Amino acid sequence: MRMRVHIGECEDGAVKPRWVRWTVIAIALLMAAAFALSAVPSRAQAHPAVPAPPVNAPADYQLGAAYRPADAVRVVTRDRDARPAGRYDVCYVNAFQTQPGELRWWQRHHPRLLLRVGGRPLRDAGWPDEVLLDTRTADRRSELGGVLGRWAARCAAAGDEGLEPDNLDSWTRSRHRLTRVDNLAVARLLVRSGHRAGLAVAQKNTAELTGAEVRRTGFDFAVAEDCEVYAECDAYRRLYGAHVIEVEYADQGRAGYRRACAARGDVWSILYRDRDLRAPGQRGYLRSGC
């Protein structure tokens, strides 16, 4: 946008005082600076009506087994059917794949949302009890968005403040049936539903998203698993600043967790957990934070 600033003579031919000319110049420079800043991509920020999790707060990741968190813990993530812990509570939903044990529910109520290859549901090779959900058409995306929106509303009604939709990157495991664009379209629907319910919504993993994609989708914070191991943490930091919850898993070794703490332990929440997310008292349970 081009702006013209006229200085010099007034309409009656008189010359403007010097202070008037400098004032006009200053205003023009301020306007130009504001315009330039508005064109620069900004870091993702929380929706004004939904507070993101507290920054650099002790966190716990309790999927599969809900238990009383340590007194110092301020952020707790639990499954959508679990009762909130009474801290800053994040509700986990498996948004792009079926949750283990729920395949029959999908077959009964939303069979066409199960992605099929050769007539058979396509399972995640890494999690074979999870079937990918079909985001390929507008009507399927709308149907899936409706299911996820109802879940978000229930999470909010139960007392959760945040929402963590998992498996956004299911297109990478879909044998080229799904696309990044279609999955992000579903994510936008879910973010809108979450915001209407008063929930901050996380980008879960998927470090390859661009700043423009994140802003269009409307994510408020990020949950990053093993970002130290895969050298992805800087990508989340560029997009979200300190609004990141990092989870490093014990089966990758403690060295990555130590590096993460040294690099970002005073910036955002970093959690060290066993991969199976066991509860205290169960063999193999591990949890620490920095």
Side-chain angles (χ1 to χ4, degrees):
M1 183 175 74
R2 212 175 262 180
M3 294 179 295
R4 290 192 219 169
V5 179
H6 297 279
I7 59 175
E9 293 187 352
C10 299
E11 290 182 356
D12 59 3
V15 177
K16 292 181 180 178
R18 181 175 296 176
W19 69 269
V20 172
R21 284 182 287 168
W22 283 114
T23 300
V24 172
I25 292 171
I27 292 172
L29 290 173
L30 286 172
M31 290 175 65
F35 176 76
L37 286 173
S38 68
V40 176
S42 60
R43 182 175 290 158
Q45 296 179 354
H47 188 279
V50 291
V55 169
N56 195 24
D60 201 352
Y61 210 48
Q62 299 185 5
L63 305 185
Y67 52 86
R68 179 182 174 85
D71 291 342
V73 168
R74 295 173 58 201
V75 180
V76 177
T77 301
R78 287 180 174 174
D79 290 309
R80 63 180 171 83
D81 57 355
R83 180 178 296 180
R87 314 298 169 89
Y88 184 104
D89 291 292
V90 179
C91 178
Y92 171 94
V93 296
N94 204 346
F96 294 85
Q97 298 182 182
T98 65
Q99 187 73 353
E102 294 186 355
L103 178 57
R104 287 186 179 179
W105 182 89
W106 287 95
Q107 289 172 327
R108 186 180 307 117
H109 297 284
H110 301 279
R112 70 178 191 146
L113 292 183
L114 298 171
L115 183 65
R116 298 177 185 274
V117 176
R120 304 184 65 179
L122 180 60
R123 297 177 181 271
D124 184 331
W127 300 88
D129 51 355
E130 298 186 17
V131 172
L132 277 64
L133 297 174
D134 195 342
T135 63
R136 289 178 293 180
T137 63
D139 59 337
R140 282 177 169 81
R141 292 193 292 272
S142 178
E143 184 177 346
L144 178 55
V147 173
L148 299 175
R150 289 190 290 274
W151 289 355
R154 289 172 192 161
C155 290
D160 290 301
E161 298 152 285
L163 187 70
E164 180 188 316
D166 201 4
N167 289 306
L168 172 61
D169 65 346
S170 66
W171 80 82
T172 66
R173 301 180 290 281
S174 70
R175 301 184 192 174
H176 306 289
R177 266 70 177 182
L178 306 179
T179 69
R180 173 180 182 144
V181 170
D182 289 341
N183 276 21
L184 285 172
V186 172
R188 280 197 298 276
L189 295 175
L190 179 53
V191 168
R192 290 170 192 161
S193 296
H195 286 169
R196 282 196 298 269
L199 300 172
V201 184
Q203 173 188 334
K204 174 69 176 289
N205 298 329
T206 325
E208 61 266 38
L209 294 189
T210 66
E213 287 172 326
V214 167
R215 288 189 293 276
R216 281 197 301 269
T217 307
F219 291 124
D220 305 294
F221 65 106
V223 177
E225 293 178 302
D226 285 327
C227 71
E228 177 64 33
V229 173
Y230 297 110
E232 296 173 338
C233 300
D234 286 346
Y236 297 108
R237 192 167 187 174
R238 284 192 296 271
L239 292 171
Y240 294 97
H243 289 284
V244 179
I245 298 172
E246 177 180 349
V247 185
E248 298 292 337
Y249 288 107
D251 59 352
Q252 300 283 8
R254 189 172 283 271
Y257 169 64
R258 289 172 177 159
R259 290 195 304 271
C261 289
R264 298 172 298 281
D266 59 347
V267 176
W268 63 43
S269 302
I270 300 178
L271 183 63
Y272 186 62
R273 283 294 266 130
D274 60 281
R275 178 73 64 179
D276 292 328
L277 301 176
R278 299 176 178 92
Q282 293 180 332
R283 186 174 183 178
Y285 164 81
L286 284 172
R287 182 204 163 273
S288 59
C290 59

